[in-house]
Amino acid sequence: MLLKIHAIYQLTLKKLEVLDGIPPLLFRLILAPVMIIAGFNKLNLSNEQMTFPNTLLADPNVVNWFGNSDWGLGLPFPDLLAFLAGWSEFLGGWLILIGLFTRLAAIPLLFTMFIAATTVHWHNGWFAIAPTNPDTSAAQVLEWLSIPGAQASLDNSLEVGERLDKIKGIVQEHGFPDYLYEKGSIAVINNGIEFAALYFAMLLSLIFVGGGRYFSIDYWLKKLLTKES
C-alpha cells in the first residue's frame, strides 16, 4: 500500500514538473521592478543637467549617503560602491525580468540585499511596517517559542498602536480624515530587514533554480545550445 502511494506521489510530481517554471517567473516579476527602480534612482540616468558619460555615474546625493558616517552608511569608496550598486540593480533587474543570465544577475543583487539588511535596516528589527496589534503580530509565534526579542517586539506593537490612535485622533479633530485616508490607512514605518530578507531569499532561490522553464531566455538558450552540441 505504501509503495503504491509512493508511486502515485512520484508520478504526480513528474507531471507537475511542466509547471516548475512558474515559481521562478513569479519571483522574477516581483523582484525586477523593485531592483530596476532602486538602481535607476541611484544613478544620474534621469538627470537632464548631466552630460554623457556623467549620466552613467551614481547620483551625488547617493554617493554622499554611502560615504557619510554621521547620517549615512559610512562606507569606503562611496563613488565606486554607489556606481556598482546602482548598475547591479538597474541592469540586473532588467536581466532578471527577461530571464537572461538569471543566476549571474542575482549574485550581485544578493550581496546588495545583504548589505542593505545589515547596514541600513538591521538595527530596526524585522518588520518593515510596525504591527499595531500584538495578538496578530508574527512575533507572537516567536514568543511562544521563547525567541529572544519577541516580547520586546510585542511591547513595541502596543506602543505603536497607542501612537497611531493619537495620530488618528488628531486627524479626526483637526485634519481632513476623508481626504487623508482616501488612499489607505496610515502606518508606522519600522524600516526593518523584512523586505530585504525576503528579496534575499528570492534571489538565492533564483541562483539555485535559474530563470525557470519556458518563461526565461535562459531556458531557450540552453535548449538551443544543447541541440547544437
Side-chain angles (χ1 to χ4, degrees):
M1 182 65 178
L2 288 177
L3 289 176
K4 185 175 182 180
I5 293 174
H6 179 71
I8 294 173
Y9 173 72
Q10 293 296 327
L11 180 62
T12 303
L13 289 181
K14 189 69 176 178
K15 290 183 177 297
L16 287 176
E17 283 182 358
V18 71
L19 303 175
D20 63 12
I22 294 178
L25 171 65
L26 295 177
F27 281 3
R28 285 165 38 217
L29 292 177
I30 293 170
L31 285 164
V34 175
M35 299 302 162
I36 290 169
I37 198 61
F40 183 78
N41 287 322
K42 286 184 177 69
L43 303 170
N44 288 321
L45 294 174
S46 64
N47 192 336
E48 297 179 355
Q49 297 178 348
M50 292 284 182
T51 58
F52 187 84
N54 290 328
T55 53
L56 304 179
L57 301 178
D59 185 295
N61 295 320
V62 176
V63 173
N64 291 335
W65 180 60
F66 267 52
N68 193 291
S69 57
D70 294 326
W71 48 266
L73 301 180
L75 298 174
F77 313 111
D79 294 86
L80 176 62
L81 292 180
F83 174 83
L84 293 176
W87 278 106
S88 294
E89 291 172 340
F90 185 69
L91 182 59
W94 285 111
L95 291 175
I96 283 178
L97 181 63
I98 62 176
L100 178 62
F101 307 133
T102 306
R103 289 183 170 90
L104 290 177
I107 292 173
L109 295 177
L110 194 75
F111 283 102
T112 300
M113 289 301 101
F114 177 79
I115 293 172
T118 54
T119 61
V120 180
H121 306 288
W122 189 265
H123 63 283
N124 295 322
W126 170 259
F127 293 107
I129 300 175
T132 59
N133 184 349
D135 294 333
T136 58
S137 170
Q140 186 67 65
V141 178
L142 302 183
E143 173 61 19
W144 294 342
L145 299 173
S146 300
I147 303 297
Q151 186 58 54
S153 178
L154 296 175
D155 294 340
N156 184 66
S157 293
L158 289 173
E159 296 183 12
V160 170
E162 291 175 1
R163 285 160 173 77
L164 274 178
D165 287 341
K166 290 184 182 296
I167 293 172
K168 291 177 180 178
I170 293 171
V171 171
Q172 188 67 37
E173 185 175 356
H174 302 288
F176 305 91
D178 292 339
Y179 169 75
L180 293 176
Y181 299 148
E182 182 183 5
K183 301 300 182 181
S185 184
I186 57 175
V188 173
I189 303 300
N190 197 57
N191 205 27
I193 69 170
E194 184 175 8
F195 290 158
L198 293 176
Y199 297 150
F200 181 93
M202 286 190 278
L203 288 164
L204 186 62
S205 296
L206 291 180
I207 289 176
F208 283 101
V209 304
R213 190 192 303 252
Y214 301 133
F215 302 108
S216 69
I217 295 179
D218 287 335
Y219 172 79
W220 296 106
L221 280 177
K222 182 178 179 181
K223 283 185 69 69
L224 179 63
L225 294 174
T226 302
K227 182 182 294 186
E228 289 182 351
S229 62

